[in-house]
Amino acid sequence: MNEPLVLGIETSCDETGIGIVRGRTLLSNMIASSMDEHARYGGVVPEVAARAHLEALQPSIDAALAEAGVSLHDLDAVAVTSGPGLAGALMVGVGAAKGLAVSLGKPLYAVNHLVGHIAADILTPESEPLEYPTVALLVSGGHTSLLHVRDLTTDVELLGETMDDAAGEAFDKVARLLSLPYPGGPEIDRAAADGDPDAIRFPRGLSKASDLAKHRYDFSFSGLKTAVARWVERCEADGIPVPVADVAASFREAVVDVLVTKALAACTDLGVPRLLLGGGVIANRRLREVALSRAAAAGVTVRIPPLSLCTDNGAMIAALAAELISSGRRPSTLAFGADSTLPVTEIQVAERLAEAS
Amino acid sequence: MILAVDTSLGTAVALIDADGALRSEANTTDPLGHAEVIGDLLVQALDAAGPGEVTHVVAGMGPGPFTGLRIGIAAARTFALGRGVPVIAVPSHHAAALTALGTGSGPFAIVTDARRREVAITVFDGTDADGIPHVSADTVLVPAVEADAHLDGIRRIDVAALSAADLARVGARAHAAGRVLAGEEPLYLRHPDVVLPGAPKRVGL
Ligand SMILES: [Zn+2]
């Protein structure tokens, strides 16, 4: 099957994503977010997210079908995120995907969310096809991962990931320290606009020579968050107003610096002159700017899918499944569950065994 | 045929004929693992039911532990969507009540585990004119140790597994009578367990 029509269901965090693709062609990308419901809590509340998924699923499927102009019976397969992500949120999608696949008698593909972020890139027909190998940096409120992608459907390796907070979480927490609303990313960006990124030298996590030996490609943002908290407290203790713009700009610079430095180090070490960016934090303009300019200086080509495909979405899940189908992979069994810590090496979950002939 | 799905306790799937006769059942009493088993149980029940079109899907709306409960509702809704048939929402305790009706007379309470040392209790008394178990006291959460005092002598029926066939029968009767027994929202009975953030914790200078 060369151009399979696939509907993808993504519920790993606070976005209910339903996407429909035909092969590498995007037909629909419906995203319902429960972000507003989490705002008052200052971060994603798993139970709130799971409740919102159940509410949003059916309307989102209806809307995606209408936008794509296809009917459920036209589908060649259903795809769903099995992990990683929030367990209770993932399970809503898994239940829905199984109900739909059994109802329609269509094959079901259970796939890896992180690899889905990479697959988002193949849905951009106006650009050259993704070349392998590539290094991929995925940054969102839920994950911060550096991957070595030798083949989208068979060979993805985890180079490093965050040891504590995801980068997006760090933005949310620092926003709170600065009395800025949730979500923190855009707020920090706005506050940083008039700030001096070099005003305060905040620490770069896991960047000292002693850390690099063991954690060359790993990230840590909790020390940075604590450093910002200390700075803010010192201002308060000294009775001087917190220079919010400078703190925001300097914090953002520290995050961006670590992300880009480690990603480009991986490119150099592996001899891979290609870097793919993904995840919701890629919306951060400063991150894109620094990545593009420093990559250019290092001779590394950067690819950034459109933002609507960078944030969590169902189209990337459908796209990954379409690639699996095109490469001859069998569907998943119906026996998989949600795996909140699914390793990135498991691109497809529970592939059915070949039938004995 | 009417398909019923419930994951408020274990995972239960059944198909009945429009007249209430059982076609097939597939279930597990495991209070976990709903996401893993729901697909295969649906296939088993459909295979065993033999030929016939599914005309309605009945979803058990709880009460039950939220994470598991949602899986069955999600599967019921998408199954119905795939077949282009309506979903009938039924409180899960109604199924247990229909099962229990044959076991004695007078009011009785369906009691299920609600986690956190609480139980969910619904009191029923016979059936109404439509053949649906009659609720005489709405579902409440009560600390498990206070349940007997709360019931004050009402016959107590502790339930650890539901009959999806009886869920389907209640749904069929409600649909025939044009009645709505449950809304779109699962019977969570608890707000999401979150506290509003206070001032950031001090880290010390
Ligand atoms: Zn993501």
Side-chain angles (χ1 to χ4, degrees), chain B residues 96-112:
Chain B
L98 190 65
T99 309
L101 273 167
T103 65
S105 60
F108 61 92
I110 296 298
V111 180
T112 55

Side-chain angles (χ1 to χ4, degrees), chain A residues 40-41 45 47-48 50-51 54-55 58 61-62 72-73 88 91-92 94-96 98-100 102-104 176-177 226 229-230 233-234 236-237 334-337, chain B residues 35-36 38-40 42-43 46 66-67 70-71 73-75 77-79 81-83 185-186 188 190-192 194-205:
Chain A
R40 52 202 289 250
Y41 307 112
V45 181
E47 175 62 22
V48 172
R51 289 185 182 195
L54 184 66
E55 261 178 64
Q58 194 173 330
I61 295 174
D62 288 337
L72 284 171
H73 299 277
M91 283 184 216
V92 179
V94 170
K98 290 184 179 180
L100 189 60
V102 172
S103 174
L104 297 169
R176 260 192 71 205
L177 291 171
T226 306
R230 271 212 186 92
E233 283 175 25
R234 190 167 300 130
E236 284 162 357
L334 288 174
F336 66 91
Chain B
E36 284 82 351
I38 187 71
D40 285 319
L42 280 169
V43 170
L46 288 161
F66 311 151
T67 304
R70 277 187 287 262
I71 295 163
I73 298 171
R77 286 181 180 169
T78 53
F79 187 95
L81 192 65
R83 297 289 173 100
E185 169 121 319
Y188 287 123
R190 270 189 202 118
H191 287 292
V194 279
V195 281
L196 287 172
K201 254 187 282 171
R202 297 189 68 80
V203 294
L205 295 177

Side-chain angles (χ1 to χ4, degrees), chain B residues 3 10 37-38 53-54 93 128 133 138 154:
Chain B
L3 168 71
V37 300
I38 187 71
E53 294 288 311
V54 174
H93 280 191
D128 60 28
D138 277 336
I154 295 173

Side-chain angles (χ1 to χ4, degrees), chain B residues 2-16 20-29 58-60 90-101 110 112 133 159-171:
Chain B
I2 297 166
L3 168 71
V5 180
D6 187 282
T7 53
S8 65
L9 295 167
T11 304
V13 179
L15 284 127
I16 63 166
L22 180 69
R23 290 289 283 265
S24 66
E25 268 183 307
N27 52 64
T28 131
T29 54
V58 179
V90 171
S92 301
H93 280 191
H94 278 63
L98 190 65
T99 309
L101 273 167
I110 296 298
T112 55
V159 175
L162 281 186
S163 158
D166 279 339
L167 187 78
R169 290 179 185 117
V170 173

